[in-house]
Amino acid sequence: QLIECDNLSFESVRNAAATLREATETSGLDVLCCNAGIMMQPDRASTDGYDITISTNVLSHFLLTREMMPNLRRAAALRGEARIVTMSSGSGFGAPAFNARFYAPGSGGNCGGDQASYERYHQSKLANLLFTSSLHDKLRKEHDSSQGHIKALACTPGLCGTDMFLHVSSTKGRPADLSTVPSVEDGACAMLKCICSPEIESGELWGPPGMEGAPVKIRWQPIVLADEQSKVRLWEACEGAVGAFEL
C-alpha cells in the first residue's frame, strides 16, 4: 500500500502515520525505515517554518517514529521484536558538533544561505545518529522482556548512484557518470542488513568500510560526535518542533 507522506509538512506526516497505524493496528509494524533524505538544497523554509533539509531528514522522521510507536510495540509483543532503522551518512561523521540553531522555530530561510547547504546536510545526518543513539538509550531503560524488544539502528549507504548523487553532481557543474559508482542496490545493503539480520543488536551502526563495499559494523567513537549533551539537545529540539516524545 502506497501512503503519501510529505516530509516538508508535519500535518502530512501525521496524516500518513494515522493511515499506517490503522493499516497495521492488528498486526503491528515490524520495521520502520527512516530513509527519506535531501542534500545540497537551498536555504528555504518548510510548511512549518523549518529548514527544508532539517525537516525532511530529521524532524519528520522523529515525528513519524513517535506516531508509530504503538504499532511497533504491538509487533514486538506479538513476535518478540521490532526495529527502527534510520539512514544517516558518512557526511554526519566528525566535526562540527550538533548545533541547535538549525532547529530553531522559524529558522527556515535563515540558516546560512545557499553556501551553508552542506553544513545543514551534515547537521541533519549527525542528528540521525544522535537520534538513534538516544532512542536506543531510552528503549533500553524501558525494556520489558515480556513485551518484546524494539531495536534502534543506524546505517550509512556509502557512495552510490542515487538521485541525490545526480543532484549533487549537477550542483558542481559536472555530469554524473553512474558507471563509476556503486549502484542504488549496493547503497541499500547496510539498511537491509539492519532490517533482516538476526545478529544485529540495538544501538549498532552499519555501513560500508569507506565509500563502498559490503556493510560492516562501524564503531561510533571517535568518528561520531554523539556525547550525552548533544543527544539531549537534539531530542529537545525535535520535541520543540513536533511535540513531546516520551518513552
Side-chain angles (χ1 to χ4, degrees):
Q1 181 181 358
L2 179 64
I3 300 173
E4 183 176 342
C5 182
D6 180 358
N7 276 21
L8 293 180
S9 165
F10 297 154
E11 180 181 10
S12 177
V13 176
R14 291 188 180 97
N15 290 339
T19 302
L20 183 56
R21 281 200 308 273
E22 183 178 1
T24 59
E25 181 178 8
T26 301
S27 64
L29 182 65
D30 291 296
V31 182
L32 176 63
C33 292
C34 299
N35 186 48
I38 57 176
M39 179 182 183
M40 302 297 285
Q41 296 295 317
D43 189 359
R44 294 178 183 168
S46 70
T47 301
D48 306 280
Y50 292 91
D51 173 69
I52 58 174
T53 299
I54 297 299
S55 178
T56 300
N57 297 5
V58 185
L59 297 177
S60 288
H61 287 151
F62 184 91
L63 173 58
L64 183 62
T65 303
R66 185 193 72 186
E67 295 295 299
M68 295 312 304
M69 282 304 296
N71 298 56
L72 288 159
R73 294 187 194 281
R74 174 68 173 161
L78 288 173
R79 291 178 288 280
E81 72 166 55
R83 302 184 184 193
I84 301 164
V85 183
T86 300
M87 180 65 82
S88 181
S89 166
S91 295
F93 296 166
F98 175 74
N99 189 335
R101 77 177 180 88
F102 291 98
Y103 295 79
S107 61
N110 190 31
C111 286
D114 291 355
Q115 65 270 24
S117 60
Y118 184 80
E119 184 178 5
R120 293 191 294 275
Y121 182 68
H122 164 78
Q123 285 290 327
S124 75
K125 294 292 101 178
L126 171 59
N128 293 152
L129 297 168
L130 294 172
F131 170 63
T132 295
S133 183
S134 185
L135 186 60
H136 165 70
D137 292 343
K138 294 175 184 292
L139 289 169
R140 184 174 56 183
K141 289 179 181 178
E142 69 149 26
H143 177 49
D144 179 352
S145 59
S146 67
Q147 296 299 312
H149 181 38
I150 300 177
K151 296 179 179 180
L153 303 156
C155 54
T156 67
L159 182 64
C160 54
T162 61
D163 289 344
M164 184 182 292
F165 173 78
L166 295 174
H167 167 71
V168 172
S169 296
S170 70
T171 65
K172 296 182 178 180
R174 63 171 184 255
D177 183 357
L178 295 181
S179 69
T180 64
V181 296
S183 68
V184 173
E185 291 79 8
D186 291 327
C189 286
M191 176 163 273
L192 291 171
K193 178 82 174 181
C194 290
I195 292 170
C196 301
S197 174
E199 290 83 24
I200 292 285
E201 296 293 338
S202 184
E204 290 183 351
L205 168 61
W206 285 76
M211 299 300 288
E212 59 183 275
V216 298
K217 185 167 69 173
I218 300 172
R219 292 172 59 91
W220 286 78
Q221 300 297 336
I223 63 171
V224 180
L225 303 183
D227 59 278
E228 292 303 315
Q229 183 181 21
S230 293
K231 290 193 288 186
V232 169
R233 292 175 65 203
L234 180 277
W235 200 272
E236 290 176 345
C238 291
E239 287 189 322
V242 305
F245 183 177
E246 298 179 359
L247 294 167

